[in-house]
Amino acid sequence: MSSAKLGSASEDVSRRDANYHPTVWGDFFLTHSSNFLENNDSILEKHEELKQEVRNLLVVETSDLPSKIQLTDEIIRLGVGYHFETEIKAQLEKLHDHQLHLNFDLLTTSVWFRLLRGHGFSISSDVFKRFKNTKGEFKTEDARTLWCLYEATHLRVDGEDVLEEAIQFSRKKLEALLPELSFPLSECVRDALHIPYHRNVQRLAARQYIPQYDAEPTKIESLSLFAKIDFNMLQALHQSELREASRWWKEFDFPSKLPYARDRIAEGYYWMMGAHFEPKFSLSRKFLNRIIGITSLIDDTYDVYGTLEEVTLFTEAVERWDIEAVKDIPKYMQVIYTGMLGIFEDFKDNLINARGKDYCIDYAIEVFKEIVRSYQREAEYFHTGYVPSYDEYMENSIISGGYKMFIILMLIGRGEFELKETLDWASTIPEMVKASSLIARYIDDLQTYKAEEERGETVSAVRCYMREYGVSEEEACKKMREMIEIEWKRLNKTTLEADEISSSVVIPSLNFTRVLEVMYDKGDGYSDSQGVTKDRIAALLRHAIEI
């Protein structure tokens, strides 16, 4: 690493280097476009025509409720449910009030249960008890039914023994049956066993399901074609947003000026697109993509490169939140500081003032200051050798993990609700936000603590738990995995109990948690994005679906 590139960073200081790999994309996304709309002059008209056909299928009255349930689920799984939010809500309200579910088979009951719980309707898990025999065992060997049952179990909350039994039963059966299954059911089952739908990123799940549904003999042609066209149209929008973000990143020349830090603007966009992909949230995605980019640079500066004196100066400058403070920090940090202030100025002008909610900028700045303070504490752990207790570490890491910040900034960016009461509520780290943040921290630490130890860091959830409770590394990791499941149940419960103030936090809390599940499912897919993360970004942002 050239110290000349780092301005006034002292050459006498021994600095660490995480050896992050360069971007796997180069300048690809600076110019890339699928040209889908440009090459299809009549595609908008066809898209609108098919949308109307699908809407008609959804709203038509029918006594065949299992088929209507299946259709509703397929529309959502294919990633086009955002076009029909009003119609889907009306259908689910009817299904929730209907008593005919008592006549459904196990497959339909499983889909019905998952749909309703997944949309915030209170449904008792007792509906599954009638499918058990006198020995208390579930009575099915059908692979499709088992798949649907397995998917439903991931919406369980604490104390639902019937769903705990169902998940063990269905997983064991599916793992045994998988080698015998053929496409597309084999891929549906394989995807669910890897990452169940409820925990998957919606956009990625749709990309996986579109070819699977297209291969079903019972598919609806108009729905299948609509899903493909809609995916490609939305992909074109996402590509244009990433091009804009890539130009911003290039103009600041962050990779050259800060070579110790992760060059991950495309991965950051993938993260924020995973949290909210719909066209109406375009401005929010653009803002949050820049936020995760600049936050990542700050994190790497505190975590890897900066001295305690340097990061303390930067923390003080962030507290001042004034361009004049740039004079008081090392030169190599100045590009981060000016980039940070610029993001919030753009955010204020384009997203907040335009909506007449000026107070939101204060919440946005405060939650950003808060995460920098948490990075400061972690830097102090390392540089002073201080070892926090497990509870002390987790309290700070709930903030440093970033999910409280991202949830609040996404709330502001979405701008759908009366915000002030909701922002006040979310700022207190209620159970919903806490559960999401804890899942993020446990998943992150499980996948990164060994790499961090290789560069001298000894403070992590795993090590703090081992030290405090006198358990082995294996036992501590097992406990972290158990806590992930406990917190998912807590998150499911709090989303079902959401009231008028907290309901707007449900989607951000769930979706950011889903992104973490996917990003870290085979390691730290953000820091090391050369493998499955690259493949997923290519599937969502590079390759259009063949029509």
Side-chain angles (χ1 to χ4, degrees):
M1 183 185 301
S2 170
S3 60
K5 290 181 178 179
L6 296 172
S8 60
S10 172
E11 297 181 20
D12 299 328
V13 175
S14 176
R15 297 181 186 274
R16 294 176 294 157
D17 190 340
N19 293 313
Y20 295 124
H21 67 77
T23 174
V24 298
W25 299 106
D27 290 339
F28 178 78
F29 285 114
L30 272 172
T31 57
H32 175 64
S33 172
S34 63
N35 296 317
F36 179 72
L37 294 176
E38 288 84 348
N39 296 336
N40 295 273
D41 293 338
S42 62
I43 203 68
L44 291 175
E45 183 178 337
K46 184 65 176 177
H47 180 264
E48 192 60 34
E49 174 189 323
L50 290 168
K51 183 166 73 171
Q52 191 55 50
E53 287 185 34
V54 174
R55 177 179 283 111
N56 292 339
L57 289 170
L58 185 59
V59 301
V60 67
E61 294 293 335
T62 178
S63 59
D64 186 0
L65 291 183
S67 294
K68 181 57 67 77
I69 291 168
Q70 191 67 33
L71 172 66
T72 305
D73 186 46
E74 286 163 350
I75 288 171
I76 295 169
R77 276 183 171 270
L78 289 165
V80 294
Y82 71 98
H83 288 290
F84 313 108
E85 290 176 351
T86 301
E87 293 86 351
I88 288 172
K89 182 180 179 182
Q91 292 298 323
L92 294 179
E93 286 174 346
K94 290 179 184 178
L95 290 170
H96 181 250
D97 296 336
H98 221 300
Q99 294 303 309
L100 287 178
H101 70 269
L102 297 173
N103 299 320
F104 293 162
D105 60 15
L106 179 54
L107 186 155
T108 303
T109 298
S110 298
V111 178
W112 170 81
F113 177 86
R114 178 173 53 76
L115 273 176
L116 289 173
R117 271 221 180 165
H119 286 80
F121 291 90
S122 179
I123 297 291
S124 172
S125 58
D126 289 349
V127 296
F128 290 101
K129 290 182 177 179
R130 65 187 178 91
F131 297 106
K132 301 172 74 174
N133 60 26
T134 54
K135 297 180 181 179
E137 301 167 337
F138 284 93
K139 304 175 291 185
T140 185
E141 299 291 330
D142 176 67
R144 190 173 293 272
T145 299
L146 288 163
W147 167 48
C148 293
L149 176 61
Y150 181 73
E151 293 280 33
T153 62
H154 287 87
L155 286 97
R156 67 194 186 282
V157 301
D158 188 43
E160 293 190 308
D161 293 342
V162 66
L163 292 181
E164 295 292 350
E165 295 165 10
I167 193 172
Q168 300 299 327
F169 168 80
S170 56
R171 182 193 291 122
K172 183 178 179 180
K173 291 285 187 182
L174 287 170
E175 288 172 345
L177 287 169
L178 184 56
E180 305 169 12
L181 302 179
S182 57
F183 185 82
L185 182 57
S186 59
E187 289 305 303
C188 293
V189 170
R190 187 174 285 108
D191 288 342
L193 289 173
H194 181 49
I195 303 177
Y197 179 76
H198 181 59
R199 298 187 184 182
N200 204 348
V201 172
Q202 290 179 309
R203 191 74 179 146
L204 185 62
R207 183 64 182 85
Q208 293 167 335
Y209 191 60
I210 287 171
Q212 294 165 2
Y213 179 75
D214 195 48
E216 289 283 1
T218 57
K219 72 175 180 182
I220 300 171
E221 290 286 353
S222 58
L223 175 56
S224 181
L225 181 56
F226 178 62
K228 294 176 189 176
I229 293 174
D230 192 74
F231 181 92
N232 290 347
M233 287 177 60
L234 195 45
Q235 183 188 68
L237 171 65
H238 292 156
Q239 288 169 346
S240 71
E241 293 171 359
L242 182 50
R243 283 197 301 275
E244 183 179 325
S246 298
R247 285 195 297 270
W248 171 78
W249 192 252
K250 185 82 169 178
E251 287 166 3
F252 271 91
D253 197 19
F254 290 122
S256 176
K257 293 176 179 176
L258 306 168
Y260 60 84
R262 289 167 289 186
D263 181 4
R264 301 290 183 271
I265 194 65
E267 290 80 359
Y269 182 80
Y270 164 61
W271 200 311
M272 295 306 138
M273 180 192 67
H276 54 334
F277 67 88
E278 299 89 338
K280 63 183 177 180
F281 301 129
S282 178
L283 272 177
S284 180
R285 275 191 301 277
K286 291 177 183 180
F287 168 67
L288 284 169
N289 187 199
R290 295 187 184 192
I291 286 290
I292 195 173
I294 211 78
T295 304
S296 182
L297 297 177
I298 296 172
D299 186 20
D300 291 342
T301 301
Y302 279 61
D303 208 25
V304 174
Y305 189 80
T307 66
L308 183 56
E309 180 183 5
E310 288 169 349
V311 299
T312 300
L313 289 172
F314 192 89
T315 300
E316 291 169 353
V318 171
E319 293 290 356
R320 286 173 60 186
W321 206 268
D322 181 351
I323 191 60
E324 292 298 314
V326 77
K327 302 172 185 175
D328 300 324
I329 59 177
K331 189 175 180 181
Y332 80 94
M333 291 177 158
Q334 292 174 4
V335 66
I336 306 176
Y337 193 77
T338 55
M340 174 195 76
L341 293 181
I343 293 170
F344 280 84
E345 279 302 308
D346 289 345
F347 182 49
K348 180 177 70 174
D349 293 339
N350 298 326
L351 207 56
I352 293 179
N353 290 349
R355 292 173 177 166
K357 296 180 178 178
D358 297 3
Y359 60 85
C360 288
I361 195 64
D362 296 329
Y363 288 90
I365 291 173
E366 177 54 35
V367 79
F368 195 89
K369 288 181 179 180
E370 186 179 42
I371 197 171
V372 173
R373 292 177 202 129
S374 72
Y375 291 163
Q376 174 75 25
R377 278 189 287 275
E378 291 181 349
E380 290 169 358
Y381 295 162
F382 174 79
H383 289 285
T384 66
Y386 176 74
V387 179
S389 68
Y390 174 74
D391 288 342
E392 184 181 359
Y393 172 80
M394 292 306 299
E395 182 179 358
N396 187 65
S397 67
I398 286 174
I399 306 301
S400 67
Y403 267 28
K404 176 189 173 183
M405 178 183 75
F406 286 129
I407 287 169
I408 287 177
L409 295 181
M410 185 171 162
L411 281 171
I412 297 171
R414 287 167 70 98
E416 294 180 297
F417 305 91
E418 290 300 321
L419 278 173
K420 197 168 190 314
E421 281 186 301
T422 301
L423 291 173
D424 285 335
W425 179 81
S427 296
T428 65
I429 319 181
E431 287 295 295
M432 190 186 301
V433 176
K434 185 177 181 180
S436 177
S437 300
L438 285 172
I439 294 168
R441 173 48 59 193
Y442 290 133
I443 291 173
D444 187 322
D445 273 22
L446 279 171
Q447 297 290 10
T448 63
Y449 80 97
K450 288 189 175 180
E452 290 175 350
E453 287 175 359
E454 289 177 2
R455 59 176 186 255
E457 295 178 37
T458 58
V459 177
S460 66
V462 175
R463 294 302 178 192
C464 287
Y465 192 87
M466 288 172 61
R467 187 179 298 106
E468 190 152 327
Y469 293 97
V471 300
S472 68
E473 183 176 346
E474 182 180 356
E475 289 172 315
C477 290
K478 180 183 177 183
K479 183 64 176 181
M480 300 297 107
R481 287 188 284 271
E482 290 173 357
M483 290 304 297
I484 290 169
E485 294 304 315
I486 289 170
E487 294 303 328
W488 260 112
K489 293 176 193 176
R490 191 194 311 274
L491 181 57
N492 288 339
K493 185 173 187 289
T494 56
T495 57
L496 287 172
E497 295 173 345
D499 57 20
E500 187 176 350
I501 292 175
S502 61
S503 60
S504 56
V505 185
V506 169
I507 295 301
S509 295
L510 280 173
N511 283 353
F512 275 121
T513 311
R514 289 163 173 158
V515 174
L516 240 296
E517 283 274 359
V518 171
M519 188 74 82
Y520 285 76
D521 74 312
K522 293 185 177 180
D524 181 354
Y526 180 77
S527 297
D528 182 3
S529 59
Q530 299 171 102
V532 67
T533 299
K534 182 180 179 182
D535 294 339
R536 288 166 175 166
I537 291 173
L540 295 179
L541 291 165
R542 181 173 185 173
H543 304 304
I545 294 178
E546 187 174 344
I547 304 297

